[in-house]
Amino acid sequence: MPPPLLFQSKLLCFSLLYLFTTFFLALYASISPIRCIFSSLPLDPIPNTLFSYPTTYGEHKYAIPTVHSSCTSPIYFSDYGPVLEEIQNFCRNSSFSSPYLRYLSEKRESFAGNFSAYKRKSYFNHSDDQVEVPCGFMKEFPITNSDRLAMEDCREVVVVSAIFGDHDKIRQPKGLGAKTLDAVCFFMFIDDSTLGSLNSHNILLNKDKEDRIGVWKIVRVSSPLPYNNSAMNGVISKHLIHRLFPNSKFSIWLDAKLQLTVDPLLMIHSLIISANADMAISKHPYNIHTMEEAIATARWKKWDDIESLKMQMEIYCENGLQPWTSKKLPYTTDVPDTALIIRRHGTGSNLFSCLLFNELDAFNPRDQLAFAYVRDLMTPKIKINMFEVQVFEHIAVEYRHNLKSSGQTSSSSDSTKGLLKTKRANPETVNGSRCEGYLLKMWGESHES
């Protein structure tokens, strides 16, 4: 073969190789394990621009980049049309197969009753359906009657969020199907501080019409609030959704720092119905054991009262909390990321939510610390689908909270996300502790079977 022809042939081969390489790299990027969700887009999706905000509203709330480059357990979403029909049929025809949970209704000076650790644990074994369980609302939750009626009228799926203390921006969900708003209610709880911020940006000034921002129905929780702590006031709508929306069959809790990017009906179908679960929640990106999360909470000042954190863990260890081991499978962790919680309302999930809320009322709003304690010790057991954090990063975008002045701390700061590394406790502080056995087992130094 003459040299010029040989050169042209090599050039052609290299060109074809480059084209094929580029094509397959692009193809791999679109179907590689980085994609954690697989679904078809809803037919006739609602446009992403659901509400136009002033440019100054939420200008400092930056998105947090995802850090995970692989996905071990992708989620497959079914087609939108069949999912919509199945969920609507379920909601129309469903009746709770087990008896309704009965709630303690006595009036007290505190919102959740201020029960002792022994009394709270006595409700963990719910073998008698006639027993009334404490579940908040022993003190007024200050909302209007019209808002309460609107909440009771939500009978299928509800998506709930809350902003107290003006920490976040109200964000509109993306990827909604054309008929989703017929089946899904969106409710946002706010306090006077947040309302004042919205009004300062000329949002929600028209008092003659229903308070609504895009898809969100705004519910003002007026002063005096049940708790002095903003996070605890948010916990009411986070963990007592089944009480605020007694007729809803499914719910999704969404921290206000998140923006949904997948239709909520698809999420419910894949993560709850197809998984036959009572609740779906993401695994924590770093910690596995409750004690790891407690140490990180103290180290990064996510809750300032260190002594109360220590007392909480001591009480939990004394009452049966164990570190994660393979005996707890199919759960692969004791620590969730509770920014997004999907529930099928029923006796099991409602009981879990009540018991968990009672622990938060007793100690602090850091719900990861009480999660495994309630999950492992309650009866009857609840089935929780704890999905991979990579899935969480693909169904929601996370944003930072409002920037704060120097010296201010937050009980729920995300500024250290990605840096949580726990320290091993000083052995001298472990000896004699009620958590000594827990820590030795967590460190692999226990000789117990």
Side-chain angles (χ1 to χ4, degrees):
M1 181 179 295
L5 186 57
L6 178 62
F7 174 79
Q8 292 176 7
S9 298
K10 288 183 177 180
L11 181 61
L12 178 62
C13 289
F14 280 122
S15 298
L16 290 173
L17 180 62
Y18 172 80
L19 290 174
F20 276 105
T21 301
T22 303
F23 171 77
F24 281 111
L25 282 175
L27 180 63
Y28 177 79
S30 66
I31 64 173
S32 68
I34 295 177
R35 286 190 66 191
C36 264
I37 60 174
F38 297 87
S39 67
S40 60
L41 292 174
L43 297 176
D44 301 321
I46 296 175
N48 286 334
T49 305
L50 294 168
F51 189 82
S52 296
Y53 294 98
T55 56
T56 56
Y57 176 59
E59 59 184 337
H60 297 304
K61 301 179 182 73
Y62 305 112
I64 298 176
T66 58
V67 297
H68 298 88
S69 59
S70 63
C71 184
T72 56
S73 300
I75 299 295
Y76 295 87
F77 290 157
S78 300
D79 291 338
Y80 175 78
V83 166
L84 173 66
E85 183 178 1
E86 182 177 346
I87 291 179
Q88 287 186 320
N89 287 337
F90 177 89
C91 292
R92 281 193 293 263
N93 301 326
S94 70
S95 59
F96 291 110
S97 57
S98 53
Y100 284 102
L101 196 63
R102 300 174 183 268
Y103 304 115
L104 199 61
S105 58
E106 65 184 61
K107 296 299 180 182
R108 296 200 172 201
E109 292 185 1
S110 63
F111 186 78
N114 193 27
F115 295 100
S116 67
Y118 173 81
K119 186 65 175 177
R120 296 195 308 274
K121 192 185 177 187
S122 70
Y123 293 101
F124 276 38
N125 187 342
H126 191 69
S127 55
D128 184 354
D129 293 325
Q130 300 304 309
V131 172
E132 295 181 338
V133 178
C135 196
F137 298 97
M138 297 180 189
K139 185 179 179 180
E140 182 186 6
F141 187 60
I143 60 175
T144 65
N145 287 331
S146 60
D147 284 338
R148 187 174 285 107
L149 290 174
M151 291 154 58
E152 292 176 357
D153 195 44
C154 183
R155 299 181 178 277
E156 296 186 9
V157 177
V158 62
V159 178
V160 180
S161 191
I163 303 177
F164 289 89
D166 190 33
H167 284 299
D168 296 282
K169 173 182 178 178
I170 297 176
R171 300 185 182 277
Q172 303 302 320
K174 295 182 179 180
L176 300 184
K179 298 184 179 180
T180 294
L181 294 183
D182 295 331
V184 182
C185 315
F186 288 81
F187 279 80
M188 175 72 68
F189 293 86
I190 65 171
D191 61 355
D192 289 339
S193 172
T194 306
L195 177 63
S197 176
L198 293 171
N199 287 340
S200 70
H201 290 92
N202 295 321
I203 304 173
L204 279 183
L205 286 179
N206 189 345
K207 300 302 181 183
D208 296 329
K209 295 183 179 180
E210 180 185 29
D211 287 335
R212 186 173 292 275
I213 299 179
V215 302
W216 296 101
K217 167 75 171 70
I218 305 300
V219 177
R220 176 195 170 198
V221 185
S222 58
S223 298
L225 299 173
Y227 296 96
N228 293 327
N229 181 274
S230 294
M232 270 307 303
N233 287 312
V235 161
I236 296 173
S237 50
K238 181 175 186 177
H239 289 293
L240 300 184
I241 291 181
H242 62 288
R243 299 216 59 188
L244 293 168
F245 300 87
N247 298 315
S248 294
K249 306 304 187 296
F250 298 95
S251 68
I252 296 178
W253 165 262
L254 190 72
D255 273 9
K257 65 182 179 180
L258 300 182
Q259 180 182 30
L260 277 186
T261 56
V262 172
D263 190 288
L265 298 175
L266 298 181
M267 294 167 53
I268 288 170
H269 187 267
S270 292
L271 297 172
I272 293 288
I273 296 177
S274 296
N276 191 28
D278 300 302
M279 178 183 296
I281 193 167
S282 170
K283 301 175 184 178
H284 191 279
Y286 305 106
N287 299 326
I288 295 176
H289 304 288
T290 300
M291 197 65 70
E292 288 179 324
E293 180 64 19
I295 295 171
T297 299
R299 183 184 182 192
W300 295 108
K301 297 182 179 179
K302 290 174 173 285
W303 189 253
D304 291 335
D305 191 346
I306 306 302
E307 286 303 313
S308 73
L309 289 174
K310 180 180 178 181
M311 180 178 68
Q312 180 181 12
M313 291 300 101
E314 293 271 324
I315 289 175
Y316 286 176
C317 290
E318 183 179 36
N319 282 279
L321 177 68
Q322 294 293 322
W324 184 88
T325 66
S326 59
K327 293 180 180 179
K328 293 191 179 185
L329 291 173
Y331 299 128
T332 56
T333 179
D334 279 350
V335 186
D337 185 332
T338 61
L340 189 149
I341 308 173
I342 310 171
R343 298 176 175 94
R344 184 207 308 256
H345 291 187
T347 302
S349 64
N350 294 352
L351 176 64
F352 176 85
S353 297
C354 292
L355 298 176
L356 183 62
F357 177 83
N358 293 338
E359 296 303 313
L360 306 185
D361 173 83
F363 294 108
N364 56 71
R366 304 299 302 173
D367 45 13
Q368 298 96 330
L369 303 182
F371 179 84
Y373 174 67
V374 175
R375 182 198 68 189
D376 295 347
L377 299 182
M378 69 175 286
T379 301
K381 297 299 182 184
I382 178 176
K383 185 173 182 181
I384 304 178
N385 176 15
M386 300 191 71
F387 53 87
E388 300 295 333
V389 65
Q390 296 93 332
V391 174
F392 169 81
E393 291 177 345
H394 282 74
I395 59 180
V397 177
E398 181 175 355
Y399 290 82
R400 297 191 185 279
H401 296 298
N402 275 2
L403 295 180
K404 300 185 180 193
S405 58
S406 60
Q408 231 179 340
T409 60
S410 169
S411 62
S412 181
S413 171
D414 57 22
S415 61
T416 55
K417 184 170 178 136
L419 302 175
L420 296 181
K421 303 294 182 183
T422 58
K423 290 182 178 179
R424 176 167 173 157
N426 187 334
E428 295 180 359
T429 66
V430 172
N431 294 331
S433 165
R434 284 173 282 182
C435 288
E436 179 179 358
Y438 178 105
L439 290 167
L440 291 175
K441 187 179 293 186
M442 185 179 82
W443 293 329
E445 297 176 6
S446 172
H447 297 293
E448 297 179 10
S449 57

